[in-house]
């Protein structure tokens, strides 16, 4: 038996839910399908340590955080112009969730939690008629989407009686089911977090319809250092943070912190540069970034402190006394520098400010926070086949953590929702 619906949204993450909000508020009958047993699993897990909704920086700077080619970067800027960080805050407030700007410019709910926001959002969606179908895993198309689907039944009307549109097949605990929809929105996530449903299984399904898909790659991920850490360093310092440092690589420079892992590095500062690091590894086989252990001190000041007579003190005691360098910061110097450099004040001072760390591989995609690559869209409303739209992380774009990922997922869902309404109004 085939169920007929007006709009089928496949994927119950932020992008799919935002498209559902726009459409249902316009009176459209929306059905949301998702492989997981409940809505917004990745959204909830991402907010476990404090939900970072967006960032408060100026719009022109905000738009530069998205890594894509020139055309797509310009396109993303138009989504953000329609639904920017201020719109995210206004949307949350409309759901009864007040937000605040943290010291670093990140925007959080006042209670820091994701669950109350999601709960209020779902209540709103259900009141506007959105129906949810959980444990529905999309496994393929039925008949190919037609080249020109009719405008009837109108999106403002009912479910459409005998209307025949786009066929979708789902696996459910009760067996396979078929859905026919006038319009389909695919918001299936990227290729990371497979246990939460974002496994990239949709890639061959879209490619079978001739949709170009850029390879899914890890983003906001850790990296392995070339030749690995020594057992001494790994066993003692894996999991410890490098705080108040800066990294530089091929024009990228930023201050922050990151963490040593058993095999390499990860953390917010590494995530911010992950696209750059990943792409250089793909091109050259490895990439070197430069670590500034003392970003608040000038090279001249560092050299003066290193050259200060240390008397009978050890190097480590001297560094701690003069520069407050100890723990993992001291350990990384012993890990990477030869003894000749450790005993040469000029070379050592340069290493404090410009310590090279070479990486040779990104960690596997399922360990990544997000993925890059995805659907290479051409239509400004993100229509990839007649009456089939894509939104969210499954599109070919890349962004760092810090609210940028979530904001753009919401913005792309907003764009798709209005794109569908605008298309119908012209028919």
């Amino acid at each position: 038996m085939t169920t007929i619906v007006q709009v089928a949204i496949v994927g119950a993450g932020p992008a799919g839910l935002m498209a559902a909000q726009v459409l249902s508020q316009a009176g459209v009958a929306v059905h949301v399908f998702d492989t997981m047993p409940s809505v917004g699993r990745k959204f909830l897990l991402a907010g476990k340590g404090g939900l970072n909704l967006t960032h408060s920086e100026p719009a022109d700077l905000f738009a530069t955080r998205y890594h894509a080619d020139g055309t797509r970067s310009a396109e993303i800027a138009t989504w953000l112009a329609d639904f920017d960080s201020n719109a995210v805050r206004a949307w949350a407030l409309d759901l009864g969730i007040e937000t605040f700007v943290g010291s670093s410019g990140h925007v959080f709910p006042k209670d820091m939690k994701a669950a109350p926001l999601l709960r209020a959002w779902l209540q709103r969606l259900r009141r506007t008629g959105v129906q949810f179908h959980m444990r529905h895993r999309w496994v393929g198309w039925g008949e190919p989407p037609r080249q020109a689907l009719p405008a009837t039944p109108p999106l403002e009307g009912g479910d459409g009686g005998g209307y025949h549109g786009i066929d979708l097949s789902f696996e459910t605990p009760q067996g396979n089911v078929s859905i026919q929809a006038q319009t389909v929105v695919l918001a299936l996530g990227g290729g990371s977090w497979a246990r939460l449903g974002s496994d990239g299984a949709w890639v061959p399904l879209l490619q079978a319809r001739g949709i170009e898909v850029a390879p899914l790659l890890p983003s906001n991920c850790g990296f392995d250092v070339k030749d690995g850490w020594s057992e001494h360093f790994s066993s003692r310092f894996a999991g410890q943070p490098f705080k108040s440092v800066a990294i530089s690589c091929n024009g990228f420079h930023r201050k922050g912190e990151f963490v040593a892992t058993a095999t390499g590095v990860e953390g917010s500062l590494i995530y911010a540069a992950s696209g750059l690091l990943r792409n250089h590894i793909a091109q050259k086989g490895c990439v070197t970034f430069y670590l500034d252990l003392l970003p608040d001190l000038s090279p001249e000041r560092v050299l003066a402190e290193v050259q200060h007579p240390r008397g009978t003190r050890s190097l480590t005691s001297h560094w701690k006394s003069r520069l407050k360098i100890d723990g993992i910061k001291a350990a990384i110097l012993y890990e990477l520098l030869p003894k000749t450099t450790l005993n040469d004040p000029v070379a050592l001072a340069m290493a404090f400010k410009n310590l090279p760390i070479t990486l040779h591989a990104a960690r596997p995609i399922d360990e990544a926070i997000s993925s890059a690559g995805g659907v290479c869209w051409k239509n400004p409303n993100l229509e990839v086949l007649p009456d089939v739209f894509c939104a969210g992380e499954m599109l070919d774009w890349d962004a760092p953590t810090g609210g940028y990922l979530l904001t753009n997922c919401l913005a792309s869902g907003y764009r798709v929702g209005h794109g569908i309404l605008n298309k119908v109004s012209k028919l």
Side-chain angles (χ1 to χ4, degrees), residues 49 57 66 78 82 87 106 159 187 248 270 316 368 412 418:
E57 65 190 7
Y66 297 89
T78 67
D82 292 340
H106 299 290
D159 270 359
S248 302
I270 300 300
T316 304
S412 66
H418 282 282

Side-chain angles (χ1 to χ4, degrees), residues 249-333:
C249 180
N250 297 95
F252 176 93
H253 180 83
R254 192 167 302 175
K255 183 179 175 181
E257 62 182 72
F258 67 93
V259 176
T261 67
T263 60
V265 292
E266 68 176 14
S268 59
L269 198 51
I270 300 300
Y271 299 159
S274 64
L276 173 70
L277 298 172
R278 181 193 65 237
N279 291 343
H280 274 275
I281 290 172
Q283 294 166 10
K284 306 291 185 180
C286 63
V287 64
T288 299
F289 73 86
Y290 295 87
L291 173 61
D292 185 347
L293 294 168
L294 298 163
D296 296 325
L297 298 183
S298 68
E300 294 77 16
R301 170 71 183 280
V302 173
L303 178 59
E305 298 296 346
V306 171
Q307 289 180 325
H308 190 278
R310 64 184 176 95
T312 59
R313 288 181 301 182
S314 67
L315 274 176
T316 304
S317 296
H318 184 57
W319 298 345
K320 184 176 181 179
S321 172
R322 304 303 304 184
L323 294 166
K324 295 183 172 57
I325 289 287
D326 61 356
I328 193 171
K329 287 186 175 182
I332 195 71
L333 294 166

Side-chain angles (χ1 to χ4, degrees), residues 7-212:
V7 175
I9 296 178
V10 188
L17 296 181
M18 181 54 72
Q21 175 180 313
V22 171
L23 292 166
S24 63
Q25 287 179 343
V28 177
V30 176
H31 292 253
V32 176
F33 302 84
D34 196 275
T35 189
M36 302 304 290
S38 58
V39 174
R41 285 293 187 92
K42 186 175 178 181
F43 178 79
L44 290 172
L45 187 57
K48 191 174 181 180
L51 179 63
N52 188 180
L53 276 173
T54 188
H55 200 286
S56 62
E57 65 190 7
D60 56 345
L61 181 57
F62 195 106
T64 67
R65 304 303 188 190
Y66 297 89
H67 312 298
D69 66 31
T71 302
R72 291 197 292 273
S73 293
E75 181 81 11
I76 288 170
T78 67
W79 309 347
L80 296 171
D82 292 340
F83 198 87
D84 61 7
S85 60
N86 290 326
V88 172
R89 298 188 71 183
W91 161 75
L93 184 60
D94 187 53
L95 291 170
I97 306 298
E98 294 186 39
T99 58
F100 72 96
V101 180
S103 59
S104 59
H106 299 290
V107 176
F108 302 92
K110 278 197 171 179
D111 64 3
M112 300 294 289
K113 297 178 181 177
L117 175 59
L118 181 61
R119 186 163 52 246
W121 198 7
L122 293 178
Q123 289 172 352
R124 174 77 57 83
L125 292 171
R126 289 189 174 103
R127 284 199 300 271
T128 57
V130 176
Q131 296 186 48
F132 292 90
H133 308 269
M134 308 313 296
R135 300 184 187 273
H136 279 61
R137 181 178 181 83
W138 182 49
V139 293
W141 309 93
E143 292 299 316
R146 298 179 182 181
Q147 291 303 303
L149 291 176
T152 55
L155 284 176
E156 293 80 2
D159 270 359
Y163 174 75
H164 292 275
I166 301 164
D167 295 332
L168 302 173
S169 297
F170 294 89
E171 285 181 350
T172 79
Q174 290 73 42
N176 285 13
V177 299
S178 295
I179 302 294
Q180 281 187 347
Q182 177 182 349
T183 302
V184 172
V185 178
L186 301 176
L188 290 152
S192 63
W193 301 65
R195 67 188 184 280
L196 299 180
S198 296
D199 58 7
W202 50 266
V203 171
L205 301 180
L206 269 62
Q207 289 175 329
R209 291 290 187 231
I211 298 172
E212 182 183 359

Side-chain angles (χ1 to χ4, degrees), residues 374-414:
V375 176
C376 304
W377 74 92
K378 298 179 177 66
N379 181 283
N381 290 324
L382 305 178
E383 188 175 17
V384 297
L385 288 172
D387 300 300
V388 178
F389 297 75
C390 288
E393 199 182 325
M394 67 184 296
L395 294 167
D396 183 17
W397 55 274
D398 191 5
T401 55
Y404 303 105
L405 282 165
L406 178 55
T407 298
N408 206 38
C409 284
L410 294 171
S412 66
Y414 186 87

